[in-house]
Amino acid sequence: MDHNIWISFPKAISLVGYLIIAYFIHITLLKPTLNLLHKIYHYHGLHCLPKNFLFGHLKLLSPNFPFPSNMEDISRNMYTWFEQTISTNKDRSLSVMWLGLFPVIIISDHAAVEAVMTKTNVKKPFFYKYIGLKNGLITSDPSLWKIRRKAIEPFFVTKRQKHFVKLMEQEIREIPEKLLNQIDKPIDMEHLIHTSTLRIIERVVGSIPLDDLKEEKEITLDLLTSIEQIAMKRAMNPLLWFDILINFFETGKSYLKNLERIETLMHSYMEHRKKVITLSPPKQPEEYDLVHLLEKHTDQTGTLEELVTSIAAGHETVSVSLRWTLFSLGNHPEIQERLYHEIIEHFPGDTPTDDFDKINACTYLDKFLKESLRLNPPVHFIGRVLDEDIKVNGTKIFKDTNIFICITSTHRDPSIYPDPDKFDPERWNPENSSKIPKSAFIPFGYGPRNCIGYRYAMMELKVYLIHILRKFSMKSTRTSESIPLKSEISLKPALPLEIILTTRHNINQEMKDL
């Protein structure tokens, strides 16, 4: 009897082992494969542009796939693909992008946006990890995001916004003088704006003085731009989705090297910050920077992740939006003049623009900015992963499906915005704006995972416009419609946004008196 038990015991162990292996195969391979096949079958009937059976839309987006394609081609094709897909969809609600055999659902209808951007759907698609921000607020998984978001939110309260405006004023008041040698000729202010917004955000979040570490700031700009472009290449090439394969490609090697260089720069910023704080410690609670707040709630790794996230997002969002805003002003002289008169009413001459309440009193400026952000949002699309099944216009969308929300199309829905391509700040009069659903205007996202610094971005845009517009009038060299667009992480022009600045009366004498 005992002998038989001992013989059967190894067999039982083997059986348990086989069952464990079978369960592992089912969970890691069979179940995901069956779920994918089910999604492929289910989403096959949704609207989409013609596709390749095996590659889906990858060849349309990245013409040389599976080999590397030019980034300019990928970003232009991405924008064009989105616009063609949604414009050929009668109800604008649901379309599908096929990245090989992997479906990504595209939505733009505000009701669909409302259904997706709920309190529970806060997970980001896998390709957000390619942006290079590691576990920062933009890219982190929901559990960590909730902790970090709660820790960072106090940094952007109204009392601190008033302090931020004073820091912005220190940098932006110098911009008109820098532009004096650029008048009466076409200029693209891209580098000036990007450099300036970077200087401000590094001062706000890390106490780096505006004129310190100039070389490091230039390198930071170049690295962030490179990482953004490579992130798009990775997203459009399934061969680059896997970290284990990325070292076999030059694109991957460059990407990893740039991430290391960014991390080194962040360490140098932190070391410099310590010296600055030691020599000149904050005197008021609102003067403490974001790093000070983070050090109370996370470790050094977390602090560095949120520092680079704040720097990357905080300068890119404002700089792209400001370039489009100035270009729009140059194409609408009557709007420009009305805005100018409102600005000089509240900020005549060289009145400092560090008065938070006076800035908020510029109501037409607020309407103008909203309309500019409607037509040219800083980001082309945002992504979510569903944490439960939902229905959109009667169509079931499964849990764990990747969703793209196309912001440019949401903002041009003719059922919400009559004559949607017209630049019309009057849309934002109280009687009109009250009819616009919140999910139909999402330049900074929507729902719990919206941009945490959107109030900061709006205030900074206003300070720039006040300083520039009260000193210069401007005329754009092209119409907005003639500028092709490209979709990287941000929505960018594929041609220079050139404007011609003309000094307003008495500016030369005013500048001499500074």
Side-chain angles (χ1 to χ4, degrees):
M1 187 73 171
D2 292 342
H3 178 70
N4 290 335
I5 291 175
W6 283 110
I7 290 175
S8 62
F9 185 72
K11 292 182 179 179
I13 294 296
S14 298
L15 179 60
V16 171
Y18 289 139
L19 289 173
I20 291 173
I21 293 171
Y23 178 77
F24 177 79
I25 292 173
H26 171 73
I27 293 297
T28 60
L29 296 176
L30 185 59
K31 187 177 179 180
T33 301
L34 291 174
N35 285 340
L36 176 61
L37 291 174
H38 185 44
K39 286 179 182 178
I40 290 172
Y41 177 78
H42 182 72
Y43 297 143
H44 184 72
L46 292 182
H47 170 78
C48 73
L49 295 183
K51 66 182 189 306
N52 180 280
F53 173 76
L54 182 61
F55 296 138
H57 295 112
L58 286 172
K59 295 285 284 185
L60 293 175
L61 301 169
S62 183
N64 295 331
F65 178 81
F67 302 103
S69 295
N70 179 276
M71 184 58 219
E72 187 76 12
D73 292 337
I74 293 174
S75 57
R76 285 200 188 199
N77 292 343
M78 175 72 86
Y79 179 82
T80 301
W81 184 93
F82 267 94
E83 297 307 304
Q84 289 179 350
T85 296
I86 293 173
S87 65
T88 55
N89 187 353
K90 291 182 180 179
D91 66 6
R92 299 173 62 92
S93 60
L94 291 175
S95 301
V96 61
M97 169 193 285
W98 293 95
L99 299 178
L101 297 175
F102 295 90
V104 178
I105 301 302
I106 312 298
I107 66 172
S108 63
D109 173 71
H110 75 90
V113 172
E114 184 74 40
V116 169
M117 307 286 275
T118 63
K119 293 181 179 179
T120 56
N121 294 315
V122 295
K123 185 177 180 181
K124 298 287 187 78
F126 65 92
F127 52 80
Y128 271 73
K129 296 293 184 182
Y130 305 154
I131 301 175
L133 304 179
K134 296 186 178 180
N135 287 314
L137 204 59
I138 292 175
T139 53
S140 54
D141 290 331
S143 57
L144 181 59
W145 166 79
K146 289 177 183 177
I147 296 171
R148 297 266 183 92
R149 177 92 182 197
K150 185 176 181 180
I152 294 173
E153 276 182 337
F155 188 70
F156 291 98
V157 297
T158 300
K159 189 173 182 179
R160 285 186 177 271
Q161 295 290 336
K162 294 180 178 181
H163 174 63
F164 297 160
V165 168
K166 297 182 185 299
L167 299 180
M168 294 170 186
E169 164 74 11
Q170 295 172 16
E171 163 68 20
I172 300 172
R173 68 189 178 195
E174 306 294 334
I175 295 295
E177 188 173 6
K178 292 178 180 179
L179 291 172
L180 271 180
N181 62 350
Q182 302 290 327
I183 60 173
D184 298 327
K185 60 183 178 181
I187 60 166
D188 184 353
M189 295 170 62
E190 179 179 11
H191 185 262
L192 174 64
I193 290 172
H194 275 265
T195 302
S196 180
T197 56
L198 183 77
R199 283 158 58 96
I200 294 172
I201 192 64
E202 290 191 357
R203 173 66 181 85
V204 168
V205 301
S207 297
I208 305 299
L210 296 172
D211 292 323
D212 287 12
L213 305 180
K214 291 183 179 180
E215 183 177 350
E216 287 84 349
K217 289 174 181 175
E218 288 289 339
I219 295 172
T220 300
L221 281 176
D222 292 340
L223 289 175
L224 291 175
T225 300
S226 176
I227 290 171
E228 177 183 7
Q229 293 176 347
I230 295 174
M232 289 299 297
K233 284 188 176 182
R234 288 195 71 180
M236 292 299 104
N237 191 335
L239 296 179
L240 298 175
W241 290 356
F242 306 99
D243 290 339
I244 196 171
L245 295 179
I246 198 169
N247 269 317
F248 292 99
F249 297 89
E250 286 301 318
T251 296
K253 293 177 182 178
S254 176
Y255 171 78
L256 294 174
K257 183 178 180 181
N258 286 345
L259 290 182
E260 290 178 2
R261 294 178 67 193
I262 280 287
E263 187 171 347
T264 300
L265 279 170
M266 292 304 110
H267 281 289
S268 69
Y269 283 144
M270 292 290 283
E271 288 300 316
H272 191 75
R273 173 187 175 275
K274 288 180 183 178
K275 297 176 183 177
V276 171
I277 295 296
T278 300
L279 292 173
S280 181
K283 297 177 182 178
Q284 301 295 330
E286 63 268 20
E287 295 179 3
Y288 284 99
D289 60 22
L290 180 62
V291 172
H292 174 81
L293 181 65
L294 288 168
E295 287 176 336
K296 295 180 178 180
H297 296 279
T298 186
D299 56 14
Q300 186 183 45
T301 299
T303 299
L304 289 173
E305 289 170 346
E306 298 303 345
L307 179 61
V308 70
T309 295
S310 300
I311 290 172
H315 100 275
E316 180 73 5
T317 299
V318 175
S319 57
V320 171
S321 299
L322 181 58
R323 290 179 65 207
W324 280 117
T325 298
L326 293 172
F327 191 74
S328 296
L329 275 175
N331 274 303
H332 297 90
E334 70 290 348
I335 293 174
Q336 182 182 155
E337 286 310 297
R338 180 175 173 181
L339 191 55
Y340 165 71
H341 286 291
E342 180 184 74
I343 286 171
I344 61 172
E345 177 184 347
H346 293 281
F347 297 97
D350 290 316
T351 304
T353 59
D354 57 0
D355 190 318
F356 184 82
D357 295 325
K358 274 190 178 182
I359 294 173
N360 284 331
C362 296
T363 55
Y364 192 69
L365 175 59
D366 190 68
K367 296 174 193 175
F368 166 77
L369 268 179
K370 286 180 178 177
E371 184 68 352
S372 181
L373 290 167
R374 181 185 73 84
L375 289 171
N376 296 293
V379 179
H380 185 203
F381 60 88
I382 50 180
R384 292 291 186 271
V385 178
L386 295 184
D387 67 353
E388 60 184 6
D389 295 350
I390 65 170
K391 276 196 173 183
V392 176
N393 288 350
T395 300
K396 186 175 183 178
I397 310 297
F398 294 116
K399 176 183 177 180
D400 294 328
T401 295
N402 288 302
I403 306 284
F404 279 177
I405 298 95
C406 184
I407 297 176
T408 52
S409 295
T410 302
H411 285 184
R412 294 176 187 250
D413 185 343
S415 69
I416 303 297
Y417 302 102
D419 197 2
D421 294 327
K422 180 182 178 182
F423 194 102
D424 182 14
E426 300 303 325
R427 296 182 199 276
W428 303 101
N429 286 337
E431 61 271 21
N432 296 326
S433 61
S434 62
K435 302 173 186 176
I436 299 174
K438 290 183 179 180
S439 56
F441 182 65
I442 52 173
F444 300 106
Y446 181 67
R449 203 155 184 175
N450 68 339
C451 174
I452 196 171
Y454 74 93
R455 287 189 295 266
Y456 167 93
M458 287 292 288
M459 190 59 60
E460 189 173 357
L461 286 168
K462 290 177 181 181
V463 176
Y464 271 110
L465 287 172
I466 291 169
H467 273 283
I468 294 173
L469 196 52
R470 69 181 178 179
K471 298 298 183 182
F472 304 98
S473 61
M474 60 202 72
K475 180 177 177 60
S476 299
T477 60
R478 298 182 179 90
T479 63
S480 298
E481 296 76 18
S482 68
I483 302 293
L485 302 178
K486 56 184 181 179
S487 177
E488 295 180 5
I489 303 302
S490 53
L491 180 63
K492 295 180 178 178
L495 292 174
L497 294 181
E498 292 183 329
I499 57 176
I500 298 174
L501 296 174
T502 302
T503 55
R504 294 189 183 273
H505 57 280
N506 295 329
I507 185 173
N508 291 317
Q509 184 60 44
E510 290 173 4
M511 287 299 180
K512 290 177 183 178
D513 294 339
L514 289 178

